[in-house]
Amino acid sequence: MIRELFINITILVCAYFVIHQLFKDINLSIYSSIKERIYYGIANGIVGLLLLLFHFPISTGIYIDLRYLPIVFAALYGGWASALIATIIVYSGRLLIYDEFHIQLLLVQLTLFVTAGFCAFIAIFKLRNWIKMLLMLTAVSITNLYIAYVITIQDKSVNILSLYRDYILAIWIGGGIGFYLISYLRRVSLFESKYRMIAENTSDFILVLNEQMRVTYCSPSCEKYLGYRLNDLNGEGQLIKTVHPDNQIMVVDALERKQAAKVQCRVRNKIGDWVYLEANIMPIYKRNSSIEGLVIISRDISERKQEEKLLIKSEKLSIVGELASGVAHEIRNPLTTLKGFLQFMKADFPDPMYADLMYSELERIELITNEFLMLAKPHLVHFQHNDLKSLLEQVLPLINSQAIMNDIEIITKIEPDLPLLFCEANQIKQVFINLLKNAIEAMPNGGIVKISIYRENSNEINISITDRGEGIAPERIPYLGQPFYSLKEKGTGLGLMVCSKIVKEHRGEMEFHSELGKGTSVDITFPLTTAE
């Protein structure tokens, strides 16, 4: 008998491993949906049927197995619905599987429903599960007294005390093992679900690497924000290939040391853009304190890096502004005196060309000084609604002479019926002048400069100035507009810097698009706002 009961307990344990896999994503309780509890009852009923197949006889028509335990577990975790479904399945299976049928058998099997009722009643109380389990096993022990009594009536040769003792012992051992197993699996499942919920809903990128430094886990955020799935990263060296070449040595060194570390690096996403990441690397320890892998938790800091660049740029602007306010005014006064005396003394020069050369250089100094002043503390400006077409027409006569001298044709394409732009007229004209001068200087051998003013949507007005010069290398474009960064031999970088400052003060955006050998396009977008 002990051997058969041990087989029943083994089947019970194996069956609940399978049930756990089916229901591990559901935190099943007596308050779960009726559909989930019915499914759980069916699963427990099937376990009961499986235990029926491994029964063993102790008397004519009387068989022993652990069919009560699936009903107990169904009631404990699924309430009355699960218990009722499991009981019906087990009861029907007992009547259909075996040929013997008599009134005592029918009454014995009805104790299944009595047990299910007791267990379902116990399940509704707000007690700890282990207390409920003790009460339910006690209910099973009591109802089986009736079974023992029926067996005694039917076959007086059976040692009922020994039978009852061994059977109840098997019920309690099987119930205890099953309860411990289910409780343990439910706790593990609960922890897994919480960690999975955190990993699957965080914007941080979580990677797990094994001892061979291959990726074994990749959080969903990696695919959502970077475009990479696990099979994109788990090949040998695949992870490092996504890192920018300038950062690869640093990242490889941090991974090979297998120690806690924090690194910042650039990573290429699936569409080819570079993203700044801050990665925290943490080792995973085995029980013997050896390292079995690494966890890498990274977050996108591209916006933070951009803010740092803007802060540095702002500080540069502030320094230039202070320099302008402190120096430019001091330069203009003696500069005016020098220009006046140079004009007065021009007739005394042996060669007037020298005087003209000196005068042009003084004008260049004055131009740079004026650009410095534009970067000083904000001046009082008067915003009003202006027609961009009219502003451009006022600028073109100032530029045309330089364009003709350089064999350059200026073509304008202005969309009709454009709305007025709320702006400071002189500043917008300054933007036109600076950008057109840059376009002309980019084509020393002549060419075409195209100016377009149009609308892409109802909330914005767009300006595009395109030349057919030599173009700008892609790696240089991000630096345009920074102080003292210029592509011209004698340039100061202040012209584009002034343009950038004016566009931002008008809440607009300025972008550069260029291709080497084909030319450059400057695209400006201004929002259509009303007076504030």
Side-chain angles (χ1 to χ4, degrees), residues 81-198:
S82 299
L84 180 62
I85 295 296
T87 303
I88 291 173
I89 293 174
V90 173
Y91 182 77
S92 303
R94 177 63 182 90
L95 297 179
L96 294 175
I97 290 176
Y98 308 113
D99 295 335
E100 302 90 346
F101 183 83
H102 43 77
I103 190 63
Q104 290 92 342
L105 175 63
L106 183 62
L107 293 174
V108 166
Q109 297 308 312
L110 284 176
T111 58
L112 289 171
F113 288 95
V114 176
T115 302
F118 274 127
C119 293
F121 178 72
I122 294 169
I124 65 176
F125 290 99
K126 293 183 178 180
L127 302 171
R128 293 184 179 274
N129 279 347
W130 67 269
I131 297 177
K132 291 181 183 181
M133 188 65 188
L134 291 177
L135 295 174
M136 290 179 183
L137 290 178
T138 302
V140 172
S141 302
I142 293 173
T143 54
N144 272 273
L145 283 174
Y146 172 74
I147 298 176
Y149 172 73
V150 171
I151 294 174
T152 303
I153 294 175
Q154 186 173 348
D155 189 353
K156 296 185 182 297
S157 64
V158 177
N159 186 345
I160 190 60
L161 290 178
S162 175
L163 171 66
Y164 181 75
R165 180 196 64 210
D166 294 341
Y167 182 67
I168 294 303
L169 182 62
I171 288 288
W172 279 80
I173 293 175
I177 294 174
F179 176 74
Y180 176 80
L181 172 66
I182 295 173
S183 299
Y184 175 76
L185 293 177
R186 283 169 66 90
R187 284 197 303 272
V188 171
S189 180
L190 181 62
F191 285 130
E192 286 180 352
S193 64
K194 287 182 178 179
Y195 292 139
R196 190 184 307 116
M197 180 182 66
I198 294 172

Side-chain angles (χ1 to χ4, degrees), residues 7 66 86-87 107 111 125 132 148 161 174 178 196 213 295 300 330 365 422-423 427 448 492 510 519 530:
I7 293 174
L66 299 182
T87 303
L107 293 174
T111 58
F125 290 99
K132 291 181 183 181
L161 290 178
R196 190 184 307 116
M213 295 298 104
V295 173
D300 187 350
E330 299 298 329
I365 295 172
F422 188 67
C423 64
Q427 290 189 350
I448 296 174
T492 62
M510 182 168 66
T530 56

Side-chain angles (χ1 to χ4, degrees), residues 250-275:
M250 174 186 65
V251 173
V252 170
D253 180 63
L255 295 178
E256 289 180 348
R257 283 190 284 113
K258 297 183 179 180
Q259 296 177 358
K262 180 183 288 188
V263 297
Q264 291 185 3
C265 61
R266 283 170 290 173
V267 173
R268 188 191 296 275
N269 61 21
K270 198 68 177 286
I271 62 175
D273 296 330
W274 292 106
V275 179

Side-chain angles (χ1 to χ4, degrees), residues 15 23 225 233 321-322 333 360 495 526:
F23 291 89
Y225 296 105
L233 301 173
E322 292 176 6
N333 292 332
S360 66
F526 288 116

